[in-house]
Every structure is written in structure tokens, then in C-alpha cells.
Amino acid sequence: MDWTLHDILRRAREASASDVHLVRGVAPAVRVGGDIQVLSGEPLEKYDLKGFLDEILNEKQRQILEEQWQLCFSRQWDEVGSGANDSARVRRLPSRAAE
């Protein structure tokens, strides 16, 4: 299965998740009622994560993430749920494996 950000967010909304966790080497996970639940599907790869960031971040946001290793922003995703603004926090974590 090729993951799309739209599908991940839609599944998170359907599960009433408060958070979405995207980590290389693991299928997307959602937090529901305080518990982390891994969605069924293939593990995310580096190119998946880069594609998601390219899809949602503008150039200034990419620069901030590159320099500060974290970024907080709000965005409206009408196609996946309530139409309300959803906030996102993106953090880059050091890789566990050598590239």
C-alpha cells in the first residue's frame, strides 16, 4: 500500500484520533484515548515522509524545520473531516540508522 497523507488523516479522523505519528520504518500510528495504535499497512519510508512534508509545507516552513528541527502550524484539511483548522507539530528526530 502506498500511503497518502489524505488517507492517513482520514483514517485518523474516523478513529477520533488526537494525534498522528509518522516515523520512518513504522506504519503510521494514531493516538486514540491516550493509546497509540499502529495502522495496518506498510512501514513508511524516507521518501514517504519527504513527500508529505513537500505536500503541506511552504518554503519558509521548510527552512524553519531544517534550521530548528521542529515546526508548529495550523492548516485546514476540508477533505478529511470537520472543516475545522487542525494544528500540526512537525519534529525531525535524529535518525537511528546511518544513511
Side-chain angles (χ1 to χ4, degrees):
M1 163 183 209
D2 286 332
W3 292 105
T4 66
L5 190 56
H6 177 269
D7 288 336
I8 295 167
L9 295 175
R10 181 184 49 77
R11 289 173 68 178
R13 179 72 69 191
E14 289 170 356
S16 299
S18 61
D19 297 42
V20 174
H21 297 263
L22 306 175
V23 178
R24 183 175 69 184
V26 180
V30 295
R31 183 183 306 272
V32 178
D35 295 322
I36 301 290
Q37 302 173 3
V38 178
L39 301 177
S40 61
E42 295 294 317
L44 292 167
E45 299 296 335
K46 184 176 181 177
Y47 66 85
D48 294 313
L49 298 171
K50 182 177 180 333
F52 298 156
L53 291 176
D54 288 346
E55 183 179 340
I56 63 173
L57 300 182
N58 62 37
E59 188 57 41
K60 183 175 181 176
Q61 291 168 327
R62 280 188 203 94
Q63 183 178 358
I64 291 169
L65 180 60
E66 189 67 31
E67 292 171 359
Q68 299 179 15
W69 283 51
Q70 64 181 349
L71 173 71
C72 295
F73 65 97
S74 283
R75 174 171 171 189
Q76 186 168 331
W77 281 282
D78 290 327
E79 63 276 7
V80 294
S82 66
N85 279 338
D86 292 308
S87 59
R89 180 180 185 114
V90 179
R91 287 185 288 169
R92 283 181 46 202
L93 301 176
S95 176
R96 293 177 294 185
E99 308 235 3

